[in-house]
Structures are given as structure tokens and as C-alpha cells.
Amino acid sequence: MRACVVHKAGDLRVEEWDPGLPRAGEVLVAVTLGGICGSDLHYYHRGSVGDFQVREPLVLGHEVVGRVHALGPGTDGPAAGAPVAIHPATPCGACPECAGGRRNVCGQARYLGSAARMPHVQGGFAQRLVVPADQVRALPAGLDPRGAVLAEPLSVALHAVRRAGEVAGKRVLVTGAGPIGALVVAALRHAGAAEVIVSDLLDAPLDIARRVGATATVRADRPDDPAWPDDVDVAIEASGSGAGLGTCLQRVRRGGTVVLLGLLPPGETGFPGNVVVTREITMRGAFRFDHEFDDALSLLASGLDVQPVISHTLPLAQAVEAFDLAGDRAVASKVLLDLGGE
């Protein structure tokens, strides 16, 4: 079996990988498709995500779908051959956050393809993957793997929209039209937002944003463009930039809400704090997701069209080319790896 493994910044290899056999309570999945995420790109380009440094070979990937290959002894779950998606998080289940229904911010959680812990949590860009059975979701009827592979990033978007509060009938600004930003647009429109205005530095991602429901788009490098909105009810920052955060705070109405979704660069980020005070702006963070994963699968099965977010599919053997392509936002959005695990 082969896997996509990062060893250090700029050192990404496709090499042999032994996932081991499933034990009681575990499932061995033959992975068929995986979506390259921004955090995967950070590990490839920088050797780190925020403060999490690659200290040993790490299989990347946490947006994966496949088929059940085998169940561990005495394990209940979808039968061998069943198409499945994988929830990538393993929260501890015992901390105050888990007990309070906020498992997505569990401080002891393990996440596929993450260097946050040592040993690292190996990820899903492997032709075989062993995971706890309760992280395996049988695909709803009518949902094919190419649709289901977007369930993880769509879950992130759904959680961010829920952190914003009631958005039905409201005017919303989204800064950043990468794959997550575009999926936030789709989630907002599904939730009933009346207007969704999206900003980005490039035309290609703005075109995708329009295709998934944006009512207006604007180039972030054109501050005098009349398309810029004033006094939006909600702003969701999905670019991961200080400039995007500043735009959200300046454009949201008095008493409005700003949701920080994109991970900002390491260290401190300045922002217009007096604007938050004098306008009584509510700022909320949005980190990963929990039960939204099941909601995302249901939405995708019911026909929520987010396929424009997928721009390319490359085989596992071309993983380096796929990562380089995914890093070029002028031509690519969500790039998939065909793991060929069946």
C-alpha cells in the first residue's frame, strides 16, 4: 500500500505505508478520494501549521472517502464494500468541552493528518486507513464519493455559519473565496441569507463563489469598487489574513457579528479594536466542527450543489504535482487525490 507522506518543508513523497490491521472497535477503509486542504499545503510548504511542527514522517489528509475493507474483531459497522466517509476527529469524550457539547474544541482531540501531537496522528492520504468505527459514516443513498469528499470542508462551513447566529434574510460579507469560503457561501444561501457578498484578490475563486450562490463579488485589491457593501449584518473571515479581518470589522454594521474562520498567521495580528468597542461588534471564532459532519452528508445527498468547488483530480502518483497545483489559487480550487485504494 502507498501513502502521501511529508517529511519536512518541501519534502513530500509517495511511499510504501503499512496501516496495520483493525483491532476491536476499528475499521479498515480502502480510501478512494481525498481533498487537499489548506493545512495540508502548510505542512508541505512550511513543515508546520501554526505552532504544530512536523517532527516525524506524517501521512497527510483528513478529507477522505472510500469503502469498508474489513472490520476489526467484534466490531459493528457498515459491511465490507460499503461506501463511507470518515469523520476525522477523535475527541477525548471526558473534558468539560466534550461534556458541554463542544467536542470540536476538545484540547485532547486527535485529528487525522495532524502534527499537533507526538507521535503524530497519521492521515487519510493512504490507500488503506484504520480508524475508530464511530468515525465511519455510511454514505446516504444517492451520494457518490465525489460528492461526499466535500463533507468535511462543508462541515467547517456549516459550523462557521452556525457560529454567526441567525442569518436568514440577512446581508453577509465573506472575505476569501477559497474552497472553504465558497462552501461558506453555499451554506449561507442554504440557511436563507438574502445577500452574500464575497471578496478575494483573484477572479477565478470569485467566479466559483458566484456559481455556488454569491449574490455579488468584489476584488479585495480594489477598495474604491462600488460593489463593496457597507453595514452588513454578518461578516465571515475565511481568508486567514489580517487584512481580511480588518475588512470584516470595518464593513459590518453597528452591533453586527464577525466570525473568524480562516486561521491567521502565527503570532499576533493587529485589528481595529476601538471599532469593536464603539460599535459593540460581536467577534466569534469558528474551529472545525462536530455533528455538522452528518448534516453535511445529508445536505450533499439532498442535492446541495457544491461541485464547482472541485477543480482538479490527480492520481496519488502525482501527489507533488497535485499539491503544487492546489497552491496556485489563480487556476485551482479544491484539488482531489485519486488514491485508488479499492
Side-chain angles (χ1 to χ4, degrees):
M1 294 293 104
R2 296 179 301 159
C4 175
V5 184
V6 66
H7 289 255
K8 60 182 179 180
D11 185 359
L12 186 71
R13 311 175 195 175
V14 176
E15 56 192 31
E16 291 300 311
W17 186 263
D18 181 6
L21 296 174
R23 299 170 296 184
E26 295 180 334
V27 177
L28 177 63
V29 176
V31 182
T32 53
L33 284 174
I36 298 174
C37 175
S39 62
D40 299 318
L41 291 174
H42 286 317
Y43 281 129
Y44 170 46
H45 290 296
R46 305 175 185 172
S48 64
V49 172
D51 296 326
F52 306 146
Q53 299 281 337
V54 173
R55 290 170 284 170
E56 64 178 3
L58 173 65
V59 178
L60 295 175
H62 53 266
E63 304 174 7
V64 292
V65 296
R67 291 184 178 275
V68 172
H69 188 74
L71 300 173
T75 301
D76 292 326
V84 294
I86 308 299
H87 191 306
T90 310
C92 76
C95 67
E97 289 74 29
C98 285
R102 302 188 68 181
R103 302 193 307 169
N104 59 301
V105 292
C106 169
Q108 302 303 313
R110 296 167 57 82
Y111 210 82
L112 290 181
S114 171
R117 300 193 172 281
M118 191 68 186
H120 297 339
V121 181
Q122 301 301 325
F125 289 166
Q127 293 179 308
R128 294 287 188 274
L129 172 66
V130 175
V131 291
D134 61 4
Q135 291 176 227
V136 177
R137 305 289 195 274
L139 297 192
L143 180 59
D144 64 22
R146 188 174 174 84
V149 76
L150 292 175
E152 196 275 352
L154 179 58
S155 302
V156 173
L158 290 173
H159 183 69
V161 171
R162 289 175 180 173
R163 291 287 289 158
E166 181 58 64
V167 298
K170 293 187 176 180
R171 195 180 194 209
V172 184
L173 171 66
V174 178
T175 52
I180 292 294
L183 291 168
V184 167
V185 171
L188 285 166
R189 296 292 282 166
H190 176 77
E195 295 181 64
V196 180
I197 306 97
V198 185
S199 69
D200 200 277
L201 290 167
L202 298 170
D203 290 330
L206 290 176
D207 178 64
I208 293 172
R210 287 190 291 270
R211 292 169 63 190
V212 296
T215 57
T217 59
V218 59
R219 284 280 295 260
D221 55 351
R222 297 173 185 169
D224 297 327
D225 192 320
W228 277 109
D230 288 318
D231 296 332
V232 296
D233 300 297
V234 173
I236 299 180
E237 205 306 290
S239 73
S241 71
L245 173 57
T247 295
C248 288
L249 291 170
Q250 294 291 351
R251 298 285 175 179
V252 76
R253 67 171 175 79
R254 293 175 180 273
T257 298
V258 172
V259 176
L260 284 75
L261 173 58
L263 285 176
L264 295 164
E268 296 183 0
T269 298
F271 67 94
N274 285 340
V275 172
V276 178
V277 174
T278 60
R279 298 184 185 179
E280 289 200 349
I281 294 170
T282 298
M283 296 178 66
R284 293 177 177 168
F287 185 61
R288 295 178 179 168
F289 56 88
D290 187 14
H291 300 295
E292 290 92 349
F293 191 75
D294 299 295
D295 299 332
L297 287 170
S298 296
L299 282 175
L300 292 166
S302 68
L304 182 70
D305 183 14
V306 290
Q307 284 297 301
V309 174
I310 298 175
S311 62
H312 300 80
T313 304
L314 278 75
L316 175 61
Q318 297 179 27
V320 173
E321 293 92 329
F323 271 68
D324 288 338
L325 180 62
D328 187 350
R329 298 187 62 249
V331 297
S333 183
K334 177 63 67 179
V335 176
L336 303 183
L337 279 181
D338 184 342
L339 280 298
E342 292 186 285

